Amino acid sequence: MLIVAIILSLIFGSLGFVVTINNAKYLLSGYNTMSEADRAKMDIAGYLRFFKRFHIFLSVTLLAGVLLLYLFNHNWASSYMVLYPLLAYAYLLAKGNTFYRGTSGQKSGTYIGIAILLVVIIAVGSGMFTSLKNSEIVVTESQLEIRGAYGIKIPKADLTNVSVVKQLPAISIKTNGFAAGDYAKGSFRTTEGRKVKLFVNKEAPPFLLLNTREDEIYYSSDEVSSNDLYKKIKKWQKE
């Protein structure tokens, strides 16, 4: 997470220096599609001064915020790293309108962009709120279900082995899932090329390992012991 935050901070910081008054008509989104008449109504020099200050500030506060929050809660740090830049860019769009001296009708595209961005922020925030919590294992007479984001159902007959392991396999890539803060959920691939499913709180070892005919599934939660779940599932298998 910290490496990603550093990379994002460098990218945002560099944007403030990359776009200049000489290349703005080629690089600056929105401005590069304007007609020459509309560009004449834009205080591009003033906007680029703001644009530079904005990205330097975003770069510094993003990295500082992630580092500070990471000391207290990895999940807060992940949420901040994702949501803060989105909110900042909504502000950038709104503030950018003040540098344009055209009619209000011509500014409507910016307002639509802000609205879309706010919808994205709400959707992403809702998704993170749902995913940044423990998955739940529920056992019924005929199946074992892992509830929550990317949840799955395992028929009793398909469960071939249950064990408890001290650590997760080394993961190389996420193929279809969620990974942020302390949580990883969904489908991943190990450095050895194996396909695995994770429903884990990485700060809550040991990990329950469920093997089926097709899947290798790891589970952990800070609300229930993996050893207790192991005993419960082994008993369930014998019933």
Side-chain angles (χ1 to χ4, degrees):
M1 182 197 309
L2 296 181
I3 293 175
V4 174
I6 292 170
I7 292 173
L8 286 175
S9 179
L10 290 173
I11 291 173
F12 288 134
S14 65
L15 284 175
F17 296 92
V18 169
V19 182
T20 67
I21 198 166
N22 294 322
N23 61 27
K25 65 180 180 180
Y26 306 110
L27 300 181
L28 188 60
S29 178
Y31 186 73
N32 58 2
T33 59
M34 285 182 177
S35 66
E36 288 299 328
D38 282 336
R39 285 177 187 164
K41 301 173 184 176
M42 181 79 176
D43 178 10
I44 189 62
Y47 178 77
L48 288 177
R49 287 193 295 270
F50 162 72
F51 185 86
K52 183 177 182 179
R53 291 194 303 268
F54 169 86
H55 281 94
I56 292 173
F57 181 80
L58 176 59
S59 172
V60 173
T61 53
L62 174 67
L63 183 58
V66 170
L67 291 174
L68 180 62
L69 290 171
Y70 191 83
L71 297 175
F72 299 97
N73 188 297
H74 297 173
N75 303 321
W76 295 350
S78 290
S79 299
Y80 177 83
M81 185 172 65
V82 173
L83 296 175
Y84 174 58
L86 293 175
L87 287 167
Y89 269 88
Y91 170 74
L92 176 67
L93 288 174
K95 182 67 175 179
N97 255 355
T98 65
F99 294 89
Y100 182 67
R101 297 184 293 270
T103 64
S104 59
Q106 290 171 307
K107 297 180 181 181
S108 60
T110 301
Y111 298 130
I112 293 172
I114 293 172
I116 293 173
L117 190 52
L118 290 176
V119 170
V120 170
I121 291 169
I122 293 171
V124 171
S126 176
M128 293 197 74
F129 177 79
T130 300
S131 298
L132 288 172
K133 58 176 61 175
N134 294 304
S135 297
E136 180 186 7
I137 284 187
V138 176
V139 176
T140 65
E141 183 178 350
S142 60
Q143 69 178 15
L144 181 152
E145 180 181 0
I146 300 179
R147 293 179 177 173
Y150 301 94
I152 60 172
K153 296 179 180 180
I154 306 171
K156 188 174 185 178
D158 289 352
L159 188 60
T160 59
N161 186 61
V162 184
S163 58
V164 176
V165 296
K166 293 182 179 180
Q167 60 186 22
L168 297 171
I171 301 297
S172 65
I173 191 171
K174 173 182 64 180
T175 57
N176 180 31
F178 171 89
D182 295 336
Y183 296 93
K185 301 179 181 183
S187 300
F188 295 78
R189 192 180 299 275
T190 70
T191 54
E192 299 172 343
R194 300 196 322 273
K195 295 179 181 180
V196 299
K197 293 185 184 296
L198 304 181
F199 299 90
V200 298
N201 179 330
K202 291 175 285 187
E203 298 300 312
F207 303 93
L208 185 70
L209 171 57
L210 306 170
N211 294 103
T212 71
R213 294 187 179 94
E214 298 180 353
D215 294 317
E216 181 179 338
I217 305 161
Y218 293 83
Y219 174 90
S220 72
S221 165
D222 59 11
E223 296 176 348
V224 58
S225 163
S226 292
N227 288 309
D228 289 344
L229 280 173
Y230 168 79
K231 295 174 184 177
K232 178 180 179 180
I233 294 171
K234 292 298 287 186
K235 181 180 178 182
W236 170 72
Q237 282 184 301
K238 295 177 181 178
E239 293 175 350

mmCIF file of all heavy atoms in Angstrom, residues 11 56 62 75 83 86 111 119 166 210 231-232 238:
data_model
loop_
_atom_site.group_PDB
_atom_site.id
_atom_site.type_symbol
_atom_site.label_atom_id
_atom_site.label_comp_id
_atom_site.label_asym_id
_atom_site.label_seq_id
_atom_site.Cartn_x
_atom_site.Cartn_y
_atom_site.Cartn_z
ATOM 1 N N ILE A 11 3.169 10.763 -9.211
ATOM 2 C CA ILE A 11 2.421 11.044 -10.449
ATOM 3 C C ILE A 11 1.665 12.365 -10.330
ATOM 4 O O ILE A 11 1.733 13.227 -11.217
ATOM 5 C CB ILE A 11 1.446 9.895 -10.758
ATOM 6 C CG1 ILE A 11 2.225 8.630 -11.158
ATOM 7 C CG2 ILE A 11 0.485 10.297 -11.883
ATOM 8 C CD1 ILE A 11 1.350 7.406 -11.315
ATOM 9 N N ILE A 56 0.610 19.825 -6.448
ATOM 10 C CA ILE A 56 1.659 19.731 -5.431
ATOM 11 C C ILE A 56 1.036 19.469 -4.064
ATOM 12 O O ILE A 56 1.496 18.608 -3.300
ATOM 13 C CB ILE A 56 2.502 21.018 -5.410
ATOM 14 C CG1 ILE A 56 3.309 21.140 -6.707
ATOM 15 C CG2 ILE A 56 3.441 21.023 -4.203
ATOM 16 C CD1 ILE A 56 4.038 22.463 -6.854
ATOM 17 N N LEU A 62 -1.675 13.587 0.080
ATOM 18 C CA LEU A 62 -2.009 12.186 -0.132
ATOM 19 C C LEU A 62 -1.014 11.292 0.581
ATOM 20 O O LEU A 62 -1.393 10.398 1.350
ATOM 21 C CB LEU A 62 -2.033 11.864 -1.627
ATOM 22 C CG LEU A 62 -2.230 10.380 -1.985
ATOM 23 C CD1 LEU A 62 -3.623 9.919 -1.586
ATOM 24 C CD2 LEU A 62 -1.997 10.138 -3.470
ATOM 25 N N ASN A 75 -6.994 -0.038 7.015
ATOM 26 C CA ASN A 75 -8.214 0.120 6.226
ATOM 27 C C ASN A 75 -8.546 1.596 6.007
ATOM 28 O O ASN A 75 -8.984 1.982 4.925
ATOM 29 C CB ASN A 75 -9.383 -0.586 6.905
ATOM 30 C CG ASN A 75 -9.106 -2.056 7.135
ATOM 31 O OD1 ASN A 75 -8.513 -2.723 6.297
ATOM 32 N ND2 ASN A 75 -9.520 -2.576 8.276
ATOM 33 N N LEU A 83 -10.261 7.440 -2.027
ATOM 34 C CA LEU A 83 -11.337 8.433 -2.070
ATOM 35 C C LEU A 83 -10.845 9.880 -2.087
ATOM 36 O O LEU A 83 -11.466 10.746 -2.718
ATOM 37 C CB LEU A 83 -12.284 8.223 -0.889
ATOM 38 C CG LEU A 83 -13.040 6.891 -0.879
ATOM 39 C CD1 LEU A 83 -13.859 6.750 0.395
ATOM 40 C CD2 LEU A 83 -13.940 6.774 -2.102
ATOM 41 N N LEU A 86 -10.206 11.349 -5.592
ATOM 42 C CA LEU A 86 -11.468 11.529 -6.319
ATOM 43 C C LEU A 86 -12.184 12.790 -5.844
ATOM 44 O O LEU A 86 -12.684 13.578 -6.658
ATOM 45 C CB LEU A 86 -12.357 10.305 -6.126
ATOM 46 C CG LEU A 86 -11.868 8.998 -6.761
ATOM 47 C CD1 LEU A 86 -12.799 7.848 -6.372
ATOM 48 C CD2 LEU A 86 -11.801 9.125 -8.281
ATOM 49 N N TYR A 111 -20.254 20.669 -14.987
ATOM 50 C CA TYR A 111 -21.171 20.273 -13.918
ATOM 51 C C TYR A 111 -21.596 18.810 -14.066
ATOM 52 O O TYR A 111 -21.739 18.087 -13.075
ATOM 53 C CB TYR A 111 -22.400 21.181 -13.908
ATOM 54 C CG TYR A 111 -22.083 22.629 -13.629
ATOM 55 C CD1 TYR A 111 -22.576 23.643 -14.447
ATOM 56 C CD2 TYR A 111 -21.277 22.986 -12.551
ATOM 57 C CE1 TYR A 111 -22.278 24.979 -14.201
ATOM 58 C CE2 TYR A 111 -20.974 24.324 -12.297
ATOM 59 C CZ TYR A 111 -21.479 25.305 -13.129
ATOM 60 O OH TYR A 111 -21.181 26.615 -12.887
ATOM 61 N N VAL A 119 -21.009 10.533 -8.196
ATOM 62 C CA VAL A 119 -21.656 9.219 -8.221
ATOM 63 C C VAL A 119 -20.610 8.110 -8.087
ATOM 64 O O VAL A 119 -20.801 7.135 -7.355
ATOM 65 C CB VAL A 119 -22.483 9.037 -9.513
ATOM 66 C CG1 VAL A 119 -22.956 7.593 -9.654
ATOM 67 C CG2 VAL A 119 -23.672 9.975 -9.519
ATOM 68 N N LYS A 166 -0.496 -21.670 8.829
ATOM 69 C CA LYS A 166 0.025 -20.492 9.525
ATOM 70 C C LYS A 166 0.099 -19.261 8.640
ATOM 71 O O LYS A 166 0.037 -18.139 9.141
ATOM 72 C CB LYS A 166 1.415 -20.812 10.092
ATOM 73 C CG LYS A 166 1.401 -21.847 11.207
ATOM 74 C CD LYS A 166 2.804 -22.076 11.742
ATOM 75 C CE LYS A 166 2.807 -23.094 12.863
ATOM 76 N NZ LYS A 166 4.180 -23.325 13.396
ATOM 77 N N LEU A 210 -9.658 -24.443 2.880
ATOM 78 C CA LEU A 210 -10.720 -25.323 2.395
ATOM 79 C C LEU A 210 -10.369 -25.773 0.977
ATOM 80 O O LEU A 210 -10.181 -24.934 0.096
ATOM 81 C CB LEU A 210 -12.060 -24.596 2.384
ATOM 82 C CG LEU A 210 -12.512 -23.947 3.701
ATOM 83 C CD1 LEU A 210 -13.728 -23.069 3.469
ATOM 84 C CD2 LEU A 210 -12.809 -25.009 4.739
ATOM 85 N N LYS A 231 -12.799 -27.124 13.734
ATOM 86 C CA LYS A 231 -13.480 -28.163 14.515
ATOM 87 C C LYS A 231 -14.958 -28.244 14.136
ATOM 88 O O LYS A 231 -15.517 -29.338 14.012
ATOM 89 C CB LYS A 231 -13.330 -27.868 16.010
ATOM 90 C CG LYS A 231 -11.903 -27.950 16.514
ATOM 91 C CD LYS A 231 -11.810 -27.507 17.970
ATOM 92 C CE LYS A 231 -10.361 -27.499 18.458
ATOM 93 N NZ LYS A 231 -10.266 -26.992 19.855
ATOM 94 N N LYS A 232 -15.561 -27.077 13.946
ATOM 95 C CA LYS A 232 -16.981 -27.035 13.591
ATOM 96 C C LYS A 232 -17.226 -27.685 12.230
ATOM 97 O O LYS A 232 -18.175 -28.466 12.055
ATOM 98 C CB LYS A 232 -17.462 -25.583 13.592
ATOM 99 C CG LYS A 232 -18.922 -25.400 13.194
ATOM 100 C CD LYS A 232 -19.308 -23.930 13.216
ATOM 101 C CE LYS A 232 -20.765 -23.735 12.793
ATOM 102 N NZ LYS A 232 -21.140 -22.287 12.824
ATOM 103 N N LYS A 238 -18.873 -34.947 9.246
ATOM 104 C CA LYS A 238 -19.174 -36.309 9.724
ATOM 105 C C LYS A 238 -20.665 -36.540 9.930
ATOM 106 O O LYS A 238 -21.083 -37.682 10.077
ATOM 107 C CB LYS A 238 -18.430 -36.554 11.038
ATOM 108 C CG LYS A 238 -16.916 -36.545 10.889
ATOM 109 C CD LYS A 238 -16.237 -36.719 12.247
ATOM 110 C CE LYS A 238 -14.730 -36.699 12.127
ATOM 111 N NZ LYS A 238 -14.066 -36.818 13.445
#
